[in-house]
Amino acid sequence: MYKIMTPGPTEVPQNVMLARSMPCTNPDLDVEFVEDYKKLCLKISKLLNTSAETLILGGEGILGLEAACASLTEEGDRVLVIDNGVFGRGFQDFVTMYGGVPVLFTGDYKETIDVAALKAFLEQDSDFKYATVVHGDTPSGMLNDVGSITKLLKNFGILTVVDAVSTMFGEYLDVSNVDILCGGSQKVISAPPGLTINVVSDDAKAAINSRKTPIRSFYANLKVFFNYYEEKWFPYTMPISDINGLRAAIENIESDEDIIGRHRSIATATRTALINAGLKLYANSGYSNTVSVFEVPSNTTAEAILETMKKDHNIMIAGSFDVFAGKIIRIGHMGNNARKDKVLETLGALDKTFNSLGVELKSSLAFEFEKNFVE
């Protein structure tokens, strides 16, 4: 089994695996499960510094993105899709699927979204029901200033949907102007794939409840959860083992006094090591602290790097896809993988991989990482 240093899924801690193996009650009938679910949701909201309601849905993180769009979009609604990455652009598919009209504000894929340019755009056209934006666009490692973006959108009366699947709890995020925040279990949270987290504001609930037409989905539908606690009823059988694991993972985060600082220290040292070794970071700005991304050197291939890392060193890192396919390599350092020893081992294996592939580095990645790492 490979050591996974990918940008999600991440390695799952022992206590999370143990929690998932505990005996289960019947979540459809046992009222205590409803209470436990509610407590976990409240804990997540508290950790995110918001009074908005957290909902946990049974499905991988993409479910949360689709559910947000399905729940808000009615036929003909104009939706602003803020696009500077594959997942950013991808929101247009969900909008179209549910009858909306996506309008793209497209930025340079190597740069974080220019908030001043977005403001100028909105001054010309702000007739949108809601806008979508990705906090951390994992395929390229791009990070956007969601706090400034959502504040601007709120000033124009536009609801906001934010994809924070790869950044939730690993990056600072001001959620005060976010209407639906989407997270997933398998990234920084370091639980297995299978759960999505949606944090829903009162404004988003009002918009959903005042729809003129029914939501075109049952499973990708946030409204069916709005009265679960009062009715002590869920719209489908909840994946109780996954939720038990999520509870343990959230408790790990709760006890991690400087989780955001830990991610920042690891990411800074990793990027510095890549640069000092002579590799080129993909982005020019907007570096996510959950994943480091560099361009594939001209005298090798992404496939050769990835296969050598797996075959010779038993470590799995990631390439990318869509417009980035074959062009970049991604090292995940999020959640339980954002540890000095794990990143050091990965970079040491990359040193050996490049050597075996005939790629000459200016310096050792492992040496540069250790030299520049600051607790």
Side-chain angles (χ1 to χ4, degrees):
M1 186 171 174
Y2 299 118
K3 296 178 181 178
I4 52 172
M5 291 297 291
T6 57
T10 56
E11 182 184 274
V12 178
Q14 282 290 124
N15 69 322
V16 174
M17 290 191 284
L18 179 62
R20 295 180 76 247
S21 71
M22 300 302 288
C24 298
T25 185
N26 185 328
D28 293 325
L29 301 176
D30 194 337
V31 175
E32 285 188 21
F33 173 76
V34 182
E35 296 295 335
D36 290 342
Y37 175 96
K38 179 71 170 179
K39 289 175 184 176
L40 178 57
C41 290
L42 289 170
K43 184 171 290 190
I44 292 170
S45 291
K46 182 179 179 181
L47 287 170
L48 292 168
N49 297 309
T50 181
S51 60
E53 183 176 18
T54 292
L55 300 170
I56 302 163
L57 280 61
E60 194 270 342
I62 289 291
L63 171 63
L65 311 183
E66 182 175 345
C69 294
S71 301
L72 285 173
T73 310
E74 294 192 77
E75 189 73 33
D77 283 341
R78 297 178 80 239
V79 178
L80 179 61
V81 174
I82 299 174
D83 159 37
N84 66 331
V86 173
F87 287 158
R89 186 185 72 235
F91 265 113
Q92 70 179 328
D93 296 332
F94 293 133
V95 172
T96 303
M97 187 184 304
Y98 291 100
V101 180
V103 177
L104 270 64
F105 174 83
T106 299
D108 188 328
Y109 277 28
K110 287 200 169 194
E111 304 285 357
T112 191
I113 285 293
D114 184 335
V115 180
L118 177 60
K119 182 174 185 290
F121 174 88
L122 291 169
E123 287 170 346
Q124 299 299 313
D125 183 6
S126 61
D127 182 22
F128 302 104
K129 182 174 185 179
Y130 68 94
T132 65
V133 62
V134 176
H135 189 210
D137 210 306
T138 329
S140 64
M142 179 58 64
L143 188 75
N144 290 310
D145 183 359
V146 161
S148 297
I149 291 169
T150 55
K151 181 178 180 181
L152 173 65
L153 291 164
K154 275 291 186 182
N155 289 340
F156 282 90
I158 301 169
L159 294 169
T160 58
V161 172
V162 173
D163 172 359
V165 171
S166 73
T167 55
M168 185 179 282
F169 301 118
E171 292 275 8
Y172 171 74
L173 178 58
D174 178 2
V175 301
S176 57
N177 292 299
V178 176
D179 289 300
I180 302 182
L181 180 69
C182 306
S185 57
Q186 77 272 29
K187 304 282 188 174
V188 176
I189 292 173
S190 296
L195 295 176
T196 193
I197 294 168
N198 284 104
V199 186
V200 188
S201 75
D202 288 341
D203 286 348
K205 286 185 177 181
I208 293 168
N209 285 329
S210 63
R211 289 174 58 107
K212 297 176 183 176
T213 57
I215 294 171
R216 294 183 182 179
S217 177
F218 179 80
Y219 205 78
N221 182 338
L222 297 177
K223 186 174 182 178
V224 294
F225 278 85
F226 284 175
N227 297 314
Y228 82 87
Y229 187 68
E230 292 76 11
E231 297 172 359
K232 302 295 186 285
W233 176 86
F234 292 99
Y236 50 79
T237 300
M238 300 303 290
I240 183 169
S241 293
D242 290 340
I243 290 171
N244 287 341
L246 179 65
R247 181 178 298 105
I250 292 297
E251 288 171 354
N252 289 343
I253 291 169
E254 190 177 35
S255 65
D256 194 333
E257 294 183 358
D258 190 23
I259 188 169
I260 290 175
R262 173 162 60 83
H263 281 77
R264 185 187 307 115
S265 296
I266 289 285
T268 300
T270 303
R271 288 194 295 267
T272 301
L274 291 168
I275 292 168
N276 289 354
L279 295 167
K280 187 177 187 331
L281 299 181
Y282 167 74
N284 297 325
S285 65
Y287 303 110
S288 171
N289 286 333
T290 62
V291 54
S292 290
V293 182
F294 64 90
E295 296 182 1
V296 175
S298 59
N299 56 338
T300 190
T301 65
E303 182 180 10
I305 296 168
L306 299 176
E307 287 304 311
T308 304
M309 285 289 287
K310 288 191 293 184
K311 180 181 176 183
D312 294 352
H313 306 287
N314 201 44
I315 296 175
M316 182 181 288
I317 55 176
S320 197
F321 51 92
D322 201 277
V323 297
F324 306 115
K327 299 177 181 178
I328 59 179
I329 295 292
R330 300 179 295 157
I331 303 169
H333 37 69
M334 56 177 64
N336 199 45
N337 288 0
R339 306 287 180 186
K340 180 182 178 183
D341 59 330
K342 293 180 180 179
V343 178
L344 188 61
E345 180 183 6
T346 302
L347 294 178
L350 262 177
D351 280 330
K352 294 173 184 175
T353 293
F354 282 129
N355 182 62
S356 69
L357 294 174
V359 177
E360 188 174 345
L361 299 177
K362 291 182 178 179
S363 182
S364 159
L365 289 161
F367 171 79
E368 293 291 346
F369 175 83
E370 195 156 29
K371 182 178 75 172
N372 291 282
F373 179 79
V374 179
E375 292 280 1

